[in-house]
Amino acid sequence: MIEDYVVLAGLNVVLAWSVYIILMSGSLSFANGAFMAMGAYASSVLTVNFGVPLLAAAAVAGLGTAMFGALVGFPALRTRGIYLILLTTGLAISVQSAVQSMPYLGGIQGFGGMVGTTPWHVVVLVAVVGAGLWLLSRSPAQRVLDAVREDEIVAGALGIRVVYVKLLCFGTGAGIAAVAGAFYAHYIIFISPEQFSIVASVYIVLYAVLGGTNNMWGPALGAVIMTLLPELVRGLQSWRPTAFGLVILLLLLVRPDGLLAFRSLTARRRDAAAARPDTAAAVRPERGAP
């Protein structure tokens, strides 16, 4: 039972981070459930039908989904706001419908026979993705993402290739979601299209919103809470969607920036503040840094 908690919570943390990576460029995706499905089915076919090892299948599925995400993201990311949300929602529904209509993938009956995921796979995945985000927050690339998120016109005037940055984040988020989907499929052994509906994509976004999107720890906290809380109170399992809605509504009223709304200094400004103790108090936290 503890193993199930570790695996599911860890995978949800990675999925929340996949949305956070896209949010860092100022975009929002409701298609990460679809990217998760693509990784789950692609890796399952490779391992079950072709005998490919799990790690290799997950890597191939993640890379392929990242390329697909960048391809569909090129026209999608030219839209903003509600239009981008509608496009990514439509993508999630389209992927689910496509899987349902493919007999090779089991159609509506589902696909099974996968094995191999252990808690250590998930722990390593969380550590790798988390380390990557932490290193990103201490690099000049963080400032580039901040500029693109805050004002695309100004960022373009500064010489930043805005479309390239957005596509890179969108593709990276899609690839990470696919790898999480691959490990998920090989842990629960059997998958079906209903597991990757638009509701799954909404949950993934809510993980990030609940914890806070101002730093990398917010989405992780939100994912852990919303994964373990229904398990601790099993009587609320059937009320999970309602509980999600109430929690988000309450959060918007009490803490609109999420549970962890703080931003921390990047390495360069932290060192500068330490070198000037008399002005350290005047240095404000930099936006966008986890």
Side-chain angles (χ1 to χ4, degrees):
M1 186 65 69
I2 295 179
E3 178 179 312
D4 294 339
Y5 293 156
V6 171
V7 171
L8 294 178
L11 291 177
N12 284 337
V13 167
V14 174
L15 289 170
W17 277 339
S18 73
V19 171
Y20 171 72
I21 291 172
I22 299 175
L23 285 170
M24 283 197 297
S25 66
S27 302
L28 176 62
S29 171
F30 277 87
N32 283 42
F35 298 141
M36 180 185 178
M38 294 176 65
Y41 276 96
S43 62
S44 298
V45 169
L46 289 174
T47 56
V48 175
N49 294 352
F50 297 96
V52 178
L54 171 59
L55 295 181
V60 171
L63 180 61
T65 304
M67 295 175 62
F68 175 80
L71 181 64
V72 301
F74 185 76
L77 294 178
R78 292 181 179 272
T79 62
R80 295 179 178 84
I82 187 64
Y83 301 104
L84 178 59
I85 293 176
L86 290 175
L87 279 173
T88 53
T89 300
L91 176 61
I93 297 174
S94 298
V95 169
Q96 183 187 12
S97 299
V99 171
Q100 289 176 335
S101 62
M102 293 182 182
Y104 185 73
L105 299 180
I108 61 176
Q109 302 300 324
F111 191 94
M114 305 79 69
V115 293
T117 298
T118 67
W120 284 111
H121 286 101
V122 177
V123 170
V124 172
L125 178 62
V126 171
V128 170
V129 177
L133 289 174
W134 183 78
L135 291 174
L136 175 64
S137 71
R138 302 177 67 85
S139 71
Q142 179 68 59
R143 293 184 175 83
V144 174
L145 293 172
D146 292 344
V148 172
R149 184 187 65 251
E150 297 298 334
D151 195 316
E152 295 180 15
I153 297 177
V154 173
L158 293 174
I160 299 174
R161 300 174 63 181
V162 175
V163 175
Y164 173 79
V165 172
K166 284 181 169 289
L167 287 179
L168 182 61
C169 290
F170 199 83
T172 302
I176 291 175
V179 174
F183 284 168
Y184 174 75
H186 286 76
Y187 185 75
I188 65 172
I189 301 176
F190 180 85
I191 54 176
S192 63
E194 289 74 18
Q195 294 169 301
F196 307 102
S197 65
I198 184 60
V199 176
S201 296
V202 172
Y203 280 164
I204 296 172
V205 173
L206 290 182
Y207 294 152
V209 173
L210 172 65
T213 58
N214 290 334
N215 61 89
M216 61 175 287
W217 305 115
L221 177 63
V224 171
I225 290 176
M226 299 313 292
T227 301
L228 299 183
L229 187 60
E231 296 296 330
L232 296 177
V233 188
R234 287 191 171 272
L236 295 179
Q237 275 286 8
S238 60
W239 292 86
R240 189 179 184 187
T242 304
F244 262 57
L246 291 175
V247 168
I248 295 300
L249 179 60
L250 180 62
L251 186 65
L252 289 175
L253 295 174
V254 179
R255 294 187 65 85
D257 292 328
L259 295 176
L260 297 181
F262 63 86
R263 294 179 187 271
S264 58
L265 291 171
T266 58
R268 186 176 300 176
R269 291 193 64 184
R270 187 183 300 111
D271 294 341
R276 299 190 302 272
D278 55 318
T279 60
V283 178
R284 296 182 178 179
E286 196 169 86
R287 300 191 68 180

